[in-house]
Amino acid sequence: MWTDKQRGIRVSQQELLCKNDCGYYGNPAWQGFCSKCWRERARPAGAQRQDTRPSNDGTPLTFSKFEEKKSTEKGRRINTMRRLFWGSPSPPKRQESSESYMNVLKAFQRLEPGDFTGFLKILRSPSSQRLQSRCTAFLNTMEAYHHLQVQKQSDLVQDFYQSFAEHFSGFPEAQVTQIMEHVEKLIMTRLHKWVFCHDSCDDEQKDLLLQRRIRSLNWVTPQMLSVPFPDNQTAVTGDPFLPAITAIIEMDAKRAPQDKLACVSKCSQHVFEALSTSNSEPANADDFLSGLIYVVLKANPPRLHSNMQYVIRFGLPHSLMAGESGYYFTNLSCAVAFIDKLDGPALNLSPEEFDGYMMRQRAPAVRNKRLQITSDTQHLLEELQGRQEKLDQGMDALNMQLQEWVQAVNSQLDEATAQFALVQKEIAAQTELSQISLSSSHDASLQGDNKEESMLVLKDQHTGPKDTDC
């Protein structure tokens, strides 16, 4: 399935689909079946069932029942749990539509995609009390019975999804999917600490084994996996798959299954982007799977097995069985299965070479890599030197412009100073002339007054004796 002399890994689209030819994606965790077919196969023999599988005509997957009736023993246990949730052996039927209930449905219909805050506001409104009470009762009961086997908890969560979706049976499938994604996020964010890596399963031990396996394969190079790498990669640009590695590591920090799937989708999209930059041809499925395996080997994501099992057990079925997220998650499962069974022929190595690498007796040739790094460093230094020369030239030109500007400013200052001195001289000359004019006028007036006084004295002297004779 995965080996070829020309390409390290090959997988066809048909091999990703369910073995039962239902048209949906299978998964190695379900032995190649989709969740629907796997649940039906896991049902005890003789149990009655009703096939509610939608026709494979390209329409979206519906929230039809995956199990109409289980075995008698299992049915009794589930009915016991349902009595705790709803007070009756089976989920209550939707009551007759009232005005408030219809308003709630209309509010859900107007909900924008991805608006989880708006969903919570509608759910907490008084008219949505019945739906909110059902969610609260389910959460409280699941927390009270968190010691149950993880598979039983998975069955109960899937039954709750199905029962809750029946309230919106009259909605278009896209709106039902949108609402149920909000419901999944609400439920599983609360239940994450109780059901993730549950004590009743061996997820923790498998996580350790997988991490050790990936760590033992840290010598695998992209060339061994036939991963096309960009020819212009330098020490500065680094690994083009680094964004994909970061995205897959972030998956462990998420709580809701859909958020973990979003990390897988983001990682896969970054893989396609890295492949598109390294090859002139569009990336195909073989290149994508090879790149995804390389990303998993380099990232060694924490608790990868537990995260994948958590999504499988408690995620919405349609997210894994169809669509972009289902395709990416199926490829991730194939990548993990490939790593678990990795051998020499898958890497175009002989058994002796593979064993030598595993026993650390051999190491991938690094001479060419060192030469490439040296060449890249030399090229970088030359580029930096050219930049430095351009910078020096720019600084010299700037200094010249600055000096010319300073000279121009000084010249303008000198000219302004000279003009100012001339103006001051003119003002001083005009002031002196004014003072001289004022002084001459004053002297002339004084002289006139003195003449008048002299005339009066002479006149008095001339007329004085005449008056005496009289």
Side-chain angles (χ1 to χ4, degrees), residues 309-371:
Q309 290 299 314
Y310 177 76
V311 173
I312 290 172
R313 291 165 182 158
F314 302 102
L316 294 171
H318 79 280
S319 299
L320 302 179
M321 294 171 61
E324 188 179 67
S325 60
Y327 174 77
Y328 291 149
F329 188 81
T330 301
N331 276 273
L332 178 61
S333 301
C334 292
V336 174
F338 174 85
I339 292 172
D340 187 54
K341 300 177 181 180
L342 184 63
D343 55 8
L347 300 175
N348 294 326
L349 299 174
S350 65
E352 293 76 14
E353 291 175 330
F354 182 82
D355 293 339
Y357 284 122
M358 294 297 291
M359 296 174 65
R360 297 296 187 271
Q361 296 176 355
R362 297 172 61 95
V366 298
R367 181 178 179 181
N368 293 335
K369 184 176 180 181
R370 289 176 179 174
L371 291 176

Side-chain angles (χ1 to χ4, degrees), residues 390-445:
K390 291 182 179 180
L391 182 61
D392 293 339
Q393 294 175 359
M395 291 179 62
D396 293 339
L398 182 62
N399 287 330
M400 293 180 61
Q401 293 177 0
L402 183 60
Q403 291 176 1
E404 293 176 356
W405 178 80
V406 171
Q407 292 177 358
V409 171
N410 291 332
S411 176
Q412 292 177 358
L413 287 175
D414 294 340
E415 183 178 355
T417 303
Q419 291 179 356
F420 181 74
L422 293 175
V423 171
Q424 281 186 329
K425 289 180 179 180
E426 292 179 357
I427 294 174
Q430 292 178 359
T431 304
E432 184 177 357
L433 291 174
S434 299
Q435 291 178 353
I436 292 174
S437 300
L438 291 174
S439 177
S440 300
S441 300
H442 182 67
D443 294 340
S445 62

Side-chain angles (χ1 to χ4, degrees), residues 87-100:
S88 61
S90 60
K93 301 294 182 181
R94 186 158 56 92
Q95 300 177 358
E96 295 297 328
S97 298
S98 61
E99 183 177 357
S100 60

Side-chain angles (χ1 to χ4, degrees), residues 9 25 64 84 268 467 469:
I9 305 163
Y25 291 117
S64 58
L84 297 173
S268 302
D467 293 337
D469 293 339

Side-chain angles (χ1 to χ4, degrees), residues 136-173:
T136 303
F138 178 77
L139 289 171
N140 293 337
T141 308
M142 286 293 293
E143 291 180 2
Y145 289 86
H146 64 272
H147 59 277
L148 291 175
Q149 295 291 323
V150 67
Q151 189 56 47
K152 293 180 180 179
Q153 296 189 33
S154 173
D155 292 338
L156 291 171
V157 170
Q158 296 297 332
D159 288 341
F160 177 79
Y161 290 158
Q162 173 189 318
S163 175
F164 200 92
E166 291 177 356
H167 288 275
F168 311 98
S169 57
F171 283 24
E173 186 61 29

Side-chain angles (χ1 to χ4, degrees), residues 275-294:
L275 293 174
S276 65
T277 60
S278 61
N279 197 354
S280 58
E281 299 178 357
N284 53 35
D286 297 332
D287 293 336
F288 168 65
L289 184 56
S290 300
L292 188 59
I293 293 172
Y294 171 76

Side-chain angles (χ1 to χ4, degrees), residues 228-233 238 240-241 274 277-279:
F229 249 54
D231 297 332
N232 57 350
Q233 182 189 2
F241 291 91
T277 60
S278 61
N279 197 354

